[in-house]
Amino acid sequence: IELADLEKTKLKNTISEFEKFKLKYPESSYLTDADEEIKKINKAKELKAWENAQKLNTINSYLNFISNYPDSEFRSNAEWSIAHYTEIKDKEAWYNALAVGTEIAYKNYLKKYPNGLYFYDASQALRELETEKEELAWQNAKVKNSAAAYKKFMSTYPYSSYSKEAEKKLIDAEVSDIFKGDYGQLPSMTKSYGYSTYTKSTTSIQIYNNTSYTLTLRYSGKDSKKIVMSAGNYETITLANGYYKIAASVNANVSPFAGTETLDGNDGEV
């Protein structure tokens, strides 16, 4: 009876039928035969799944195969196919980005392939584009030569190699704007004349804010400097000798003051 049932089960040839046979005859001498048949069915399914994965030939098809058959003899083949397919797609994506040559194209490549074969190439390309953009922005700011243009550049590129030059040009532009408008005459500084003007290439100036407002003092010349002082405070600055335009303003509805000064090495105070 057991043998006859086994033969009938073989004709149906499904795992579920062989499992039913094992449950029906737990002490059968044909259990080993049933297990072997189950293995054959599973192996046939595995081979079919592998053939389907190869036909589809996609990363997902190979990943699904590995997920369903982690111990398969074809696992290494599937993993190689995934690596090979990924490399091909990576290379295609890189050459597409290279052909477009834009910031968005390189960023999209890096987003899709953060550990891609061309990660360093894409990163370098982005740096070069950013340098070109910064250089163009700097040239545009110099052409406009306005306080607004320099402020925009400094805001966009706070760590630029042109930061120091931009800061100087911003101060020069702000002083120039004040001189173009209405302003009061700024008193000259009181010089010490305590030494020869030929002994020093710089001049030290002690500044006292004797107003009740926050004072902003700008020196535009060989050295350009902006000093912001609270009411009643003192500050000392040192500038290279030369001709300077100077502008002073406070945080109130008061006209600015402006004037000129030739620094000759004699320290003084304002």
Side-chain angles (χ1 to χ4, degrees), residues 90-106:
D90 186 336
K91 190 173 292 186
E92 287 179 355
W94 167 242
Y95 282 114
N96 287 337
L98 202 59
V100 176
T102 64
E103 182 179 353
I104 292 176
Y106 293 129

Side-chain angles (χ1 to χ4, degrees), residues 138 141-155 166-178 180 218 226:
W138 174 238
K142 288 200 296 182
V143 168
K144 292 179 180 178
N145 195 34
S146 67
Y150 293 123
K151 283 180 180 178
K152 182 179 179 181
F153 177 83
M154 293 170 69
S155 174
E167 186 176 359
K168 181 186 186 309
K169 287 185 176 294
L170 171 60
I171 295 169
D172 293 342
E174 288 175 338
V175 170
S176 178
D177 287 342
I178 290 174
K180 290 174 184 176
R218 299 174 178 86
K226 179 178 181 179

Side-chain angles (χ1 to χ4, degrees), residues 51-70:
E51 289 175 4
N52 289 336
Q54 288 180 302
K55 284 180 182 178
L56 292 172
N57 195 33
T58 65
I59 292 177
N60 283 337
S61 70
Y62 293 120
L63 286 173
N64 288 335
F65 176 81
I66 291 173
S67 176
N68 293 327
Y69 301 97

Side-chain angles (χ1 to χ4, degrees), residues 179-194:
F179 267 79
K180 290 174 184 176
D182 295 328
Y183 61 86
Q185 186 61 43
L186 188 71
S188 298
M189 77 173 187
T190 303
K191 296 185 178 183
S192 63
Y193 294 102

Side-chain angles (χ1 to χ4, degrees), residues 71-207:
D71 300 317
S72 172
E73 62 179 293
F74 302 111
R75 181 186 179 110
S76 59
N77 301 70
E79 289 173 341
W80 181 90
S81 296
I82 290 170
H84 180 64
Y85 190 78
T86 301
E87 183 177 332
I88 291 173
K89 288 297 182 183
D90 186 336
K91 190 173 292 186
E92 287 179 355
W94 167 242
Y95 282 114
N96 287 337
L98 202 59
V100 176
T102 64
E103 182 179 353
I104 292 176
Y106 293 129
K107 284 184 175 179
N108 284 341
Y109 169 80
L110 289 171
K111 184 178 180 180
K112 190 170 184 180
Y113 297 97
N115 299 306
L117 297 170
Y118 303 96
F119 171 84
Y120 292 105
D121 301 84
S123 299
Q124 179 61 28
L126 276 175
R127 284 193 292 271
E128 290 174 359
L129 282 179
E130 188 63 25
T131 299
E132 290 175 9
K133 282 176 61 180
E134 181 183 331
E135 183 65 33
L136 180 60
W138 174 238
Q139 296 304 323
N140 287 338
K142 288 200 296 182
V143 168
K144 292 179 180 178
N145 195 34
S146 67
Y150 293 123
K151 283 180 180 178
K152 182 179 179 181
F153 177 83
M154 293 170 69
S155 174
T156 306
Y157 301 99
Y159 305 108
S160 171
S161 57
Y162 297 113
S163 291
K164 189 173 181 179
E165 188 177 353
E167 186 176 359
K168 181 186 186 309
K169 287 185 176 294
L170 171 60
I171 295 169
D172 293 342
E174 288 175 338
V175 170
S176 178
D177 287 342
I178 290 174
F179 267 79
K180 290 174 184 176
D182 295 328
Y183 61 86
Q185 186 61 43
L186 188 71
S188 298
M189 77 173 187
T190 303
K191 296 185 178 183
S192 63
Y193 294 102
Y195 44 79
S196 170
T197 60
Y198 299 105
T199 60
K200 290 177 62 183
S201 60
T202 61
T203 301
S204 293
I205 307 165
Q206 186 181 63
I207 304 166

Side-chain angles (χ1 to χ4, degrees), residues 179-244:
F179 267 79
K180 290 174 184 176
D182 295 328
Y183 61 86
Q185 186 61 43
L186 188 71
S188 298
M189 77 173 187
T190 303
K191 296 185 178 183
S192 63
Y193 294 102
Y195 44 79
S196 170
T197 60
Y198 299 105
T199 60
K200 290 177 62 183
S201 60
T202 61
T203 301
S204 293
I205 307 165
Q206 186 181 63
I207 304 166
Y208 170 52
N209 180 8
N210 62 354
T211 74
S212 56
Y213 305 103
T214 297
L215 171 68
T216 299
L217 191 63
R218 299 174 178 86
Y219 281 79
S220 173
K222 188 174 182 179
D223 283 343
S224 292
K225 189 165 288 189
K226 179 178 181 179
I227 308 98
V228 180
M229 301 173 61
S230 299
N233 279 6
Y234 285 91
E235 187 168 336
T236 300
I237 62 171
T238 300
L239 299 172
N241 291 343
Y243 175 79
Y244 284 83

